[in-house]
Amino acid sequence: MAPSTSHASVLLIATILVLLLAATPITCWRPWPHLKPNSSDLLYDSSKKYEGSSEFVHLRYHMGPVLTGNITVHTIWYGRWEKSQKKIIREFINSISTVNARPPSVSGWWRTVQLYTDQTGANISHTVQLGQEKNDRFYSHGKSLTRLSIQSVIKSAVTAKSKPLPTNPRNGLYLLLTSDDVYVQDFCGQVCGFHYFTFPSIVGYTLPYAWVGNSEKLCPGVCAYPFSVPKYIPGLKALKPPNGDVGVDGMISVIAHEIAELATNPLVNAWYAGQDPSFPVEIADLCEGIYGTGGGGSYTGQMLLDHGGATYNMNGIRRKFLVQWVWNHLVSYCTGPNALDQ
C-alpha cells in the first residue's frame, strides 16, 4: 500500500528535522503481498485497536516447557559471511541481556518475553548469551536446502570431529544462518525464517533450533522490508538500515522473532494460539509487522531516525536495531521496549 500524500509530507518533514534532533519519530506502511487495496484488514489502521490488540486472540499455555534457565545461542554460519555481518548479529544477541543500553533498548523488548512462565510459575530467563559457533563455508549440504536437510546441517555441526557444537537440549538454542546465495524451502514465498526442534532419528537429539536466511539477493522486498521495498509497489522508498547492511539488518528482526518464540515455545507445546500445534500462532506472529506505537494491520507504527537518517526502534550495546514487537499476554496486545524499559 503506497503512503498517502499527507503521510509522505510527514516523512519529508521528519527527514529535514533529523539534522536537528537526535532521534526523530517516523512512520511507515508495511506492504503485505496478500492484501488487496480494498482489504478490510487495512481498516485496522484507523481503528482503536492500537499495537495490534485484539479480543479475538486466545494465546494459551499448553503445559509444555519454556526456557527458564540461562539461554545459550549456538550459531551455525552456513555459506560465506563477511566479518562485519557476523559482528552485527553477534552484537544484537549480546544486547538482549545487557543492562547498559539506552532506552528504548533490546533488553527492554526482551522483558516482554520474560513475562511468560512455565507450569511452576518460573519466568523465561533474563540471560541470553552467545555460545559456540560453527562455520560451514563450503556449503556442505549444497546451496538449496529443505527443512529436513537443515536438520542434517545441524547434525553435522554437533557431530563434527573438530570442535563440535555442544548438545544442550534444556537451554541451548541452535541458530542456523544461511548466506545470501542459499535458497531454503519456502524462503521468500512463505517464510523468512522458522523454528522447530530436531528429530532424534536425524540428529540424535531433540534440540530447539531456528533458521533465518539473508534475503538480500533473493527477496529483500519481502524479508528485509522496510530496508528494501517490493517492486510491485511503485513510489515506495526504502528506508536506510541502521547498520548499513540491507540483508543483515533485515535478518535482525527475524532472528529476534524466532528467539522469542523458541524461548516461549521450544517444543511447540507451550505458548501459542490456535488449535493445531502443527501451525501454531506464537507471540511474535501475533505482532508481525509492528515496530512501534500505533502499529496494526498494514501500519508498522512509529519508529525513530538517527543522525545519519537510518531507521531503528531499539538501542543495543553499541548499535541500533529495528525489531518487531511481541505479544504481551498480560495485557493482550503487542508491546515494545518503551513499556518495560527502566
Side-chain angles (χ1 to χ4, degrees), residues 3 19 26 98 101-102 115 121 161 184 192 227 230 263-264 280 308 331:
L19 298 176
I26 68 165
T98 186
R102 184 177 62 182
L115 296 174
K161 292 182 179 180
V184 173
C192 301
F227 306 127
T264 55
V331 293

mmCIF file of all heavy atoms in Angstrom, residues 3 19 26 98 101-102 115 121 161 184 192 227 230 263-264 280 308 331:
data_model
loop_
_atom_site.group_PDB
_atom_site.id
_atom_site.type_symbol
_atom_site.label_atom_id
_atom_site.label_comp_id
_atom_site.label_asym_id
_atom_site.label_seq_id
_atom_site.Cartn_x
_atom_site.Cartn_y
_atom_site.Cartn_z
ATOM 1 N N PRO A 3 2.029 5.126 0.557
ATOM 2 C CA PRO A 3 1.671 6.112 1.557
ATOM 3 C C PRO A 3 0.781 7.190 0.963
ATOM 4 O O PRO A 3 0.867 7.512 -0.210
ATOM 5 C CB PRO A 3 3.013 6.698 1.988
ATOM 6 C CG PRO A 3 4.062 5.961 1.267
ATOM 7 C CD PRO A 3 3.429 5.113 0.238
ATOM 8 N N LEU A 19 18.304 16.511 11.154
ATOM 9 C CA LEU A 19 19.541 17.268 11.325
ATOM 10 C C LEU A 19 19.555 18.015 12.649
ATOM 11 O O LEU A 19 20.605 18.424 13.133
ATOM 12 C CB LEU A 19 19.710 18.270 10.163
ATOM 13 C CG LEU A 19 19.817 17.636 8.772
ATOM 14 C CD1 LEU A 19 19.869 18.730 7.713
ATOM 15 C CD2 LEU A 19 21.048 16.754 8.692
ATOM 16 N N ILE A 26 9.448 8.434 13.089
ATOM 17 C CA ILE A 26 8.933 8.336 11.733
ATOM 18 C C ILE A 26 7.925 7.207 11.693
ATOM 19 O O ILE A 26 7.835 6.399 12.607
ATOM 20 C CB ILE A 26 10.046 8.089 10.695
ATOM 21 C CG1 ILE A 26 10.651 6.692 10.885
ATOM 22 C CG2 ILE A 26 11.101 9.152 10.748
ATOM 23 C CD1 ILE A 26 11.459 6.260 9.709
ATOM 24 N N THR A 98 21.866 -7.142 28.036
ATOM 25 C CA THR A 98 22.653 -6.043 28.594
ATOM 26 C C THR A 98 21.795 -5.101 29.428
ATOM 27 O O THR A 98 20.593 -4.944 29.188
ATOM 28 C CB THR A 98 23.333 -5.241 27.470
ATOM 29 O OG1 THR A 98 24.194 -4.259 28.051
ATOM 30 C CG2 THR A 98 22.297 -4.531 26.610
ATOM 31 N N ALA A 101 22.350 -0.473 27.808
ATOM 32 C CA ALA A 101 21.881 0.220 26.606
ATOM 33 C C ALA A 101 20.880 1.306 26.966
ATOM 34 O O ALA A 101 20.099 1.178 27.906
ATOM 35 C CB ALA A 101 21.254 -0.773 25.636
ATOM 36 N N ARG A 102 20.893 2.381 26.180
ATOM 37 C CA ARG A 102 19.970 3.494 26.383
ATOM 38 C C ARG A 102 18.570 3.110 25.914
ATOM 39 O O ARG A 102 18.405 2.514 24.853
ATOM 40 C CB ARG A 102 20.479 4.704 25.598
ATOM 41 C CG ARG A 102 19.656 5.971 25.806
ATOM 42 C CD ARG A 102 20.286 7.124 25.056
ATOM 43 N NE ARG A 102 20.304 6.875 23.613
ATOM 44 C CZ ARG A 102 20.840 7.704 22.738
ATOM 45 N NH1 ARG A 102 21.437 8.801 23.152
ATOM 46 N NH2 ARG A 102 20.805 7.420 21.448
ATOM 47 N N LEU A 115 7.996 -12.253 30.608
ATOM 48 C CA LEU A 115 6.730 -12.345 31.338
ATOM 49 C C LEU A 115 6.102 -13.731 31.247
ATOM 50 O O LEU A 115 5.241 -14.086 32.060
ATOM 51 C CB LEU A 115 5.737 -11.309 30.806
ATOM 52 C CG LEU A 115 6.113 -9.839 31.000
ATOM 53 C CD1 LEU A 115 5.101 -8.948 30.293
ATOM 54 C CD2 LEU A 115 6.214 -9.492 32.480
ATOM 55 N N GLY A 121 5.440 -21.611 37.362
ATOM 56 C CA GLY A 121 5.452 -20.167 37.581
ATOM 57 C C GLY A 121 6.796 -19.523 37.326
ATOM 58 O O GLY A 121 6.952 -18.312 37.522
ATOM 59 N N LYS A 161 34.009 -33.828 13.889
ATOM 60 C CA LYS A 161 35.188 -34.375 14.565
ATOM 61 C C LYS A 161 36.024 -33.267 15.207
ATOM 62 O O LYS A 161 36.669 -33.478 16.224
ATOM 63 C CB LYS A 161 36.033 -35.171 13.565
ATOM 64 C CG LYS A 161 35.363 -36.443 13.074
ATOM 65 C CD LYS A 161 36.267 -37.212 12.123
ATOM 66 C CE LYS A 161 35.600 -38.498 11.656
ATOM 67 N NZ LYS A 161 36.458 -39.269 10.715
ATOM 68 N N VAL A 184 16.377 -21.758 0.735
ATOM 69 C CA VAL A 184 15.796 -22.722 1.671
ATOM 70 C C VAL A 184 14.331 -22.914 1.312
ATOM 71 O O VAL A 184 13.651 -21.969 0.883
ATOM 72 C CB VAL A 184 15.953 -22.228 3.120
ATOM 73 C CG1 VAL A 184 15.198 -23.133 4.094
ATOM 74 C CG2 VAL A 184 17.436 -22.176 3.500
ATOM 75 N N CYS A 192 10.512 -16.139 6.080
ATOM 76 C CA CYS A 192 11.842 -15.522 6.102
ATOM 77 C C CYS A 192 12.718 -16.219 7.132
ATOM 78 O O CYS A 192 13.928 -16.008 7.184
ATOM 79 C CB CYS A 192 11.726 -14.039 6.437
ATOM 80 S SG CYS A 192 10.706 -13.101 5.277
ATOM 81 N N PHE A 227 13.842 -1.932 4.662
ATOM 82 C CA PHE A 227 15.122 -1.507 4.109
ATOM 83 C C PHE A 227 15.227 -1.810 2.617
ATOM 84 O O PHE A 227 16.175 -1.414 1.949
ATOM 85 C CB PHE A 227 16.265 -2.161 4.883
ATOM 86 C CG PHE A 227 16.174 -1.918 6.363
ATOM 87 C CD1 PHE A 227 16.200 -2.958 7.265
ATOM 88 C CD2 PHE A 227 16.032 -0.628 6.856
ATOM 89 C CE1 PHE A 227 16.094 -2.733 8.628
ATOM 90 C CE2 PHE A 227 15.928 -0.387 8.218
ATOM 91 C CZ PHE A 227 15.961 -1.446 9.104
ATOM 92 N N PRO A 230 9.059 -3.933 -2.083
ATOM 93 C CA PRO A 230 8.648 -4.776 -3.206
ATOM 94 C C PRO A 230 8.531 -3.973 -4.501
ATOM 95 O O PRO A 230 8.106 -2.814 -4.498
ATOM 96 C CB PRO A 230 7.271 -5.300 -2.770
ATOM 97 C CG PRO A 230 7.229 -5.112 -1.289
ATOM 98 C CD PRO A 230 8.051 -3.900 -1.009
ATOM 99 N N ALA A 263 12.066 -19.371 22.941
ATOM 100 C CA ALA A 263 12.093 -19.282 24.400
ATOM 101 C C ALA A 263 10.743 -19.627 25.003
ATOM 102 O O ALA A 263 10.666 -20.248 26.073
ATOM 103 C CB ALA A 263 12.525 -17.884 24.834
ATOM 104 N N THR A 264 9.661 -19.251 24.329
ATOM 105 C CA THR A 264 8.312 -19.446 24.878
ATOM 106 C C THR A 264 7.612 -20.692 24.361
ATOM 107 O O THR A 264 6.604 -21.109 24.924
ATOM 108 C CB THR A 264 7.431 -18.224 24.553
ATOM 109 O OG1 THR A 264 7.443 -17.996 23.131
ATOM 110 C CG2 THR A 264 7.933 -16.973 25.259
ATOM 111 N N PRO A 280 1.172 -23.388 14.826
ATOM 112 C CA PRO A 280 0.873 -22.511 15.961
ATOM 113 C C PRO A 280 1.030 -21.038 15.593
ATOM 114 O O PRO A 280 1.860 -20.671 14.762
ATOM 115 C CB PRO A 280 1.931 -22.922 16.987
ATOM 116 C CG PRO A 280 3.095 -23.379 16.162
ATOM 117 C CD PRO A 280 2.482 -24.055 14.961
ATOM 118 N N GLY A 308 22.167 10.003 11.102
ATOM 119 C CA GLY A 308 22.506 9.727 9.710
ATOM 120 C C GLY A 308 21.313 9.402 8.837
ATOM 121 O O GLY A 308 21.466 9.061 7.665
ATOM 122 N N VAL A 331 -1.627 -8.145 28.993
ATOM 123 C CA VAL A 331 -2.478 -7.016 28.611
ATOM 124 C C VAL A 331 -3.175 -7.246 27.269
ATOM 125 O O VAL A 331 -3.977 -6.439 26.832
ATOM 126 C CB VAL A 331 -1.667 -5.705 28.560
ATOM 127 C CG1 VAL A 331 -1.198 -5.314 29.943
ATOM 128 C CG2 VAL A 331 -0.470 -5.838 27.612
#
